[in-house]
């Protein structure tokens, strides 16, 4: 119309995180990256949510802190939505590797768990342990939702398969 600008919806990182939609991709990605969600709380000060999305503190999301790593590899798999999405981050700090994986779409909130990397000292060594790590992760996951999109058992199985594939990609990149 005339000189009016068309309305363009605006999207924000904070809105994506706070919407609480388990199908959104940002929160699993942030959890896999070890991000801290810092909230300004009603009576002053701050509260931090780190490692879990289920218990976000009341308040206004003030900032998102993603820790730096000397070397980090990240995979976000979202091709199987709305059944499941998976974010995986493996990083080297000093001479050791550490990693986290987060599952979206399968629970009321994304779920993140540390990966049992053992003594793998380089990314290539992950290939030899990918199947074992993925199986361990799938066993430790809380019970996924079962609905019209997929059963709980299928979501758990898919989490294992997708994590194994992601670790193989990380090992080969």
């Amino acid at each position: 119309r005339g000189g009016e600008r068309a309305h363009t919806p605006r999207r924000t990182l904070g809105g994506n995180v706070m919407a609480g939609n388990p199908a959104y991709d940002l929160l699993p990605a942030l959890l896999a990256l070890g991000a801290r969600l810092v909230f300004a709380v009603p009576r002053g000060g701050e509260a931090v949510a780190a490692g879990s999305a289920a218990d976000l503190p009341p308040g206004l999301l003030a900032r998102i802190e993603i820790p730096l790593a000397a070397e980090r590899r990240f995979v976000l798999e979202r091709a199987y939505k709305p059944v499941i999405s998976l974010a995986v981050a493996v990083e080297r700090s000093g001479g050791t590797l550490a990693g986290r994986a987060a599952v979206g779409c399968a629970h009321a909130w994304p779920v993140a768990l540390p990966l049992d990397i053992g003594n793998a000292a380089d990314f290539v060594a992950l290939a030899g342990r990918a199947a074992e790590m993925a199986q361990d992760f799938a066993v430790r996951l809380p019970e996924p939702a079962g609905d019209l999109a997929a059963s709980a058992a299928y979501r758990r199985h898919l989490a294992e398969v997708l994590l194994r594939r992601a670790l193989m990609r990380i090992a080969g990149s």
Side-chain angles (χ1 to χ4, degrees):
R1 301 187 237 174
E4 294 178 33
R5 294 176 63 179
H7 173 70
T8 305
R10 304 285 187 234
R11 292 164 183 89
T12 66
L13 296 176
N16 187 288
V17 168
M18 297 307 295
N21 188 330
Y24 287 0
D25 296 324
L26 184 61
L27 197 49
L30 290 172
L31 292 172
L33 291 166
R36 292 171 16 112
L37 307 176
V38 181
F39 291 80
V41 294
R43 296 208 166 119
E46 295 179 335
V48 176
S52 172
D55 298 316
L56 296 178
L60 178 67
L61 180 61
R63 66 184 179 276
I64 299 170
E65 299 172 350
I66 301 172
L68 297 176
E71 185 178 2
R72 176 183 291 136
R73 296 187 184 175
F74 177 78
V75 172
L76 176 62
E77 175 57 70
R78 48 193 304 261
Y80 294 88
K81 286 173 61 172
V83 174
I84 196 167
S85 63
L86 179 82
V88 183
V90 178
E91 53 204 39
R92 180 192 325 267
S93 181
T96 62
L97 295 179
R100 286 166 301 286
V103 172
C105 301
H107 303 87
W109 279 94
V111 173
L113 297 172
L115 297 175
D116 181 11
I117 293 180
N119 60 359
D122 60 24
F123 291 101
V124 175
L126 293 177
R129 298 210 51 241
E132 175 188 344
M133 290 169 56
Q135 184 177 34
D136 173 67
F137 177 82
V139 167
R140 290 185 295 128
L141 269 180
E143 185 67 12
D147 56 25
L148 293 175
S151 69
Y154 182 68
R155 280 189 165 108
R156 185 179 303 278
H157 171 72
L158 203 48
E160 180 179 344
V161 170
L162 294 178
L163 179 55
R164 187 185 68 223
R165 290 178 185 171
L167 291 169
M168 294 300 289
R169 282 179 57 196
I170 287 170
S173 57

